[in-house]
């Protein structure tokens, strides 16, 4: 496991809204050991898809971010696509969801859950 001690432009950030939502979801699960895992898979209408899951384990090579009392875990391959991204949580007329503002995305689909990469991992 690597702690996220990289260059500021490479760091992944959570907004306060995202931190509060993650805390709320962890409280609902009643398991303070949970960490939010974000990972990228092939698929979606734009080529790559964002995925979110709670995980108790940290795998070899995972990158761990700790912000505002919550932990974010990202595997090394997914981290290449997420460097410099900001994870936010929005509630509006369209619904409630985590939103990733990703500087590595060349384009995103209209729902924001998939993207095409503007970088080569």
């Amino acid at each position: 496991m690597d702690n996220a001690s990289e260059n500021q432009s490479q760091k992944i950030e959570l907004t306060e809204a995202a931190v509060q939502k993650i805390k709320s979801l962890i409280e609902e699960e009643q398991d303070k050991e949970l960490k939010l895992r974000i990972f990228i898979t092939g698929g979606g209408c734009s080529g790559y898809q964002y995925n979110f899951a709670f995980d108790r384990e940290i795998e070899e090579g995972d990158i761990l971010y700790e912000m505002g009392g919550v932990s974010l875990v990202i595997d090394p391959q997914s981290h290449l696509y997420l460097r410099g991204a900001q994870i936010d949580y929005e509630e509006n007329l369209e619904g409630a969801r985590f939103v990733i503002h990703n500087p590595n995305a060349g384009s995103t689909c209209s729902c924001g859950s998939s993207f095409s990469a503007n970088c080569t991992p």
Side-chain angles (χ1 to χ4, degrees):
M1 164 185 63
D2 295 328
N3 272 335
S5 60
E6 54 227 271
N7 178 321
Q8 271 306 97
S9 66
Q10 303 295 308
K11 187 177 179 187
I12 296 170
E13 295 181 26
L14 289 172
T15 65
E16 184 61 29
V19 167
Q20 292 308 314
K21 184 59 178 180
I22 295 166
K23 283 181 178 179
S24 170
L25 292 170
I26 290 171
E27 286 175 14
E28 286 178 24
E29 293 296 320
Q30 298 179 354
D31 186 349
K32 295 192 183 287
E33 298 299 313
L34 291 177
K35 298 154 186 55
L36 181 65
R37 180 175 290 278
I38 299 177
F39 55 101
I40 306 295
T41 58
C45 49
S46 294
Y48 294 101
Q49 193 163 2
Y50 299 115
N51 297 278
F52 301 85
F54 280 115
D55 200 342
R56 297 185 93 229
E57 304 299 319
I58 299 173
E59 304 295 328
E60 179 78 27
D62 279 349
I63 298 157
L64 175 66
Y65 288 91
E66 295 177 329
M67 294 171 263
V70 300
S71 297
L72 177 66
V73 179
I74 305 170
D75 66 89
Q77 186 67 27
S78 296
H79 192 263
L80 293 172
Y81 290 103
L82 290 166
R83 294 178 296 200
Q86 180 189 64
I87 293 101
D88 194 8
Y89 183 77
E90 295 179 353
E91 291 183 29
N92 56 36
L93 293 175
E94 296 172 5
R97 63 187 173 138
F98 285 100
V99 177
I100 298 181
H101 303 283
N102 188 348
N104 304 301
S107 63
T108 60
C109 66
S110 60
C111 66
S113 65
S114 69
F115 68 102
S116 65
N118 203 19
C119 66
T120 305

